[in-house]
Amino acid sequence: MKRKFFRIAALMLAGMCISSCNSDAEDIRNPFDNELQGSFHASSITASKSTGNISETKSWTNIVKDASDRVVQYDYDYKYETMDGDIKNEEKESRIYYFKNHNKQDAITVQSHLRYSQLKKGISNEYSQKISEDIELNSNGYISRISTTIAHYDSDSSEPVIKTHERKFTYSGDVCTGSVYNDDDSKITYTYDWNAYQLTSVTVLKDNHTDGIIEYDKFNYTYNNDRVYLFSGTQLLPFVQEGLPEMFASMGYFGRHTPYILTEEVHNGHIRYNASNSTSTFTEIINRFSLVGDIASGMTYNAKSNTYSTYYIDFKK
């Protein structure tokens, strides 16, 4: 009888242990392992923000994908206007080509045509650019380097000025942890800080070599831990957060994205003027987000902001 009691007690204890272990496993479950519930592919994306004096809009349209769900072309448009009549406009058409290089490695090249115009205090400025980007991938299929050549044409010139720049990316496993951009005039260092599965902050440090100005920006992010984005196709956060080329980030070419729904962005920054040894500090910008919509028609990240009277990022199917 005593032996039977101990056997039952042992079985109960083992059952409790298994139950506890299963509970712990559920608590630490990888959110990337959630089963996807569908596919969402945006054909156009618009990010718009405005204050009482300024309106700014970025849009990605004419987004075309191939049979492998890779974006092969898109158009980009940027508009900036003030109540005083100042205007900036940038239009860019991009075509993306995927191929194997001479070493049988996957590679990407992007050919773009950009047109820029500006009117500031009654003075106009226009130019166009032909842009070629050669993109290298690492062994995991993530972008490790973007080498860019720009043929720059001023409005009154027939011969271009050739410029180049480069950006390199570093990873820890499947997440991007940093990148460095270099051109003739500046160096920009991006640091991406992760806490488990969440990109918690992006730091941008820009060193302008020619004028001795150093710009510092930090973006802190908060998420809803109870809501996970469960769709393949277009990933939304790269168009909301700072620091990575949006289109390729959305396709997963910079590693995994945060699976949780964004709820808040806090932006702080300052500019240091080396010549005068003085510093100007940006006003803290706080944007609180909510995600609405569905994959049938489209989704929108709406923001309530202490700075912008309107701010939203709209993803249309």
Side-chain angles (χ1 to χ4, degrees):
M1 181 70 180
K2 188 179 293 185
R3 185 180 299 171
K4 183 176 180 181
F5 170 78
F6 283 124
R7 185 180 300 168
I8 293 172
L11 289 171
M12 291 177 65
L13 183 61
M16 291 173 65
C17 181
I18 292 171
S19 176
S20 175
C21 290
N22 285 342
S23 177
D24 290 344
E26 289 177 3
D27 289 342
I28 62 173
R29 181 181 179 184
N30 186 339
F32 292 116
D33 293 337
N34 283 287
E35 185 176 353
L36 295 177
Q37 297 180 357
S39 180
F40 174 72
H41 296 279
S43 62
S44 68
I45 301 161
T46 302
S48 180
K49 60 180 70 171
S50 63
T51 66
N53 183 52
I54 296 170
S55 66
E56 184 179 45
T57 303
K58 299 177 182 178
S59 61
W60 296 261
T61 59
N62 194 27
I63 301 172
V64 177
K65 290 195 170 189
D66 63 11
S68 300
D69 285 337
R70 302 175 302 190
V71 174
V72 294
Q73 72 175 51
Y74 69 95
D75 297 337
Y76 171 79
D77 187 71
Y78 172 78
K79 286 185 171 65
Y80 173 92
E81 298 181 48
T82 71
M83 292 292 291
D84 298 329
D86 293 344
I87 298 172
K88 293 179 188 178
N89 188 35
E90 180 181 305
E91 298 175 350
K92 186 171 70 171
E93 301 166 356
S94 295
R95 302 296 178 266
I96 304 173
Y97 304 93
Y98 305 85
F99 62 99
K100 297 276 189 183
N101 64 18
H102 61 284
N103 292 320
K104 307 302 181 184
Q105 297 172 327
D106 289 324
I108 305 171
T109 188
V110 184
Q111 303 295 322
S112 303
H113 184 205
L114 180 147
R115 293 175 295 276
Y116 176 88
S117 62
Q118 176 180 327
L119 180 65
K120 186 173 183 179
K121 296 181 178 180
I123 301 174
S124 61
N125 178 34
E126 295 182 1
Y127 62 78
S128 64
Q129 294 179 341
K130 293 181 180 179
I131 305 169
S132 178
E133 298 172 283
D134 293 320
I135 298 175
E136 299 176 17
L137 306 179
N138 64 17
S139 58
N140 291 325
Y142 303 144
I143 293 176
S144 59
R145 182 199 305 258
I146 303 176
S147 300
T148 304
T149 300
I150 301 172
H152 179 95
Y153 296 83
D154 286 324
S155 59
D156 58 351
S157 66
S158 58
E159 295 295 325
V161 175
I162 307 298
K163 302 178 180 180
T164 64
H165 59 76
E166 180 182 73
R167 188 169 175 184
K168 297 180 180 179
F169 302 84
T170 55
Y171 296 84
S172 176
D174 289 322
V175 299
C176 187
T177 56
S179 69
V180 178
Y181 167 97
N182 278 289
D183 62 22
D184 290 341
D185 302 317
S186 63
K187 176 182 179 180
I188 308 176
T189 303
Y190 300 83
T191 304
Y192 314 103
D193 292 318
W194 290 78
N195 180 13
Y197 309 105
Q198 297 182 352
L199 176 61
T200 56
S201 68
V202 176
T203 303
V204 185
L205 181 64
K206 182 175 181 180
D207 185 355
N208 298 278
H209 304 319
T210 54
D211 53 19
I213 294 176
I214 296 176
E215 300 177 48
Y216 172 89
D217 289 274
K218 187 163 187 179
F219 302 83
N220 291 296
Y221 298 107
T222 305
Y223 304 87
N224 182 344
N225 293 328
D226 297 324
R227 289 191 65 194
V228 180
Y229 183 73
L230 296 174
F231 309 111
S232 63
T234 303
Q235 301 304 314
L236 311 185
L237 282 181
F239 295 93
V240 185
Q241 296 175 317
E242 296 292 325
L244 288 170
E246 300 90 353
M247 197 59 71
F248 284 110
S250 181
M251 287 189 283
Y253 279 100
F254 293 108
R256 283 181 157 171
H257 57 89
T258 300
Y260 297 102
I261 303 301
L262 184 67
T263 58
E264 184 178 81
E265 173 192 65
V266 179
H267 173 204
N268 285 284
H270 65 261
I271 300 175
R272 182 172 184 81
Y273 306 91
N274 289 352
S276 61
N277 196 31
S278 61
T279 300
S280 65
T281 302
F282 298 154
T283 301
E284 183 177 67
I285 300 174
I286 302 173
N287 302 312
R288 294 188 172 91
F289 290 96
S290 60
L291 181 63
V292 298
D294 54 50
I295 63 172
S297 57
M299 288 174 274
T300 302
Y301 260 113
N302 288 312
K304 291 184 178 180
S305 176
N306 69 336
T307 301
Y308 304 110
S309 54
T310 60
Y311 183 15
Y312 64 86
I313 304 94
D314 194 24
F315 302 84
K316 290 295 186 187
K317 191 158 185 176

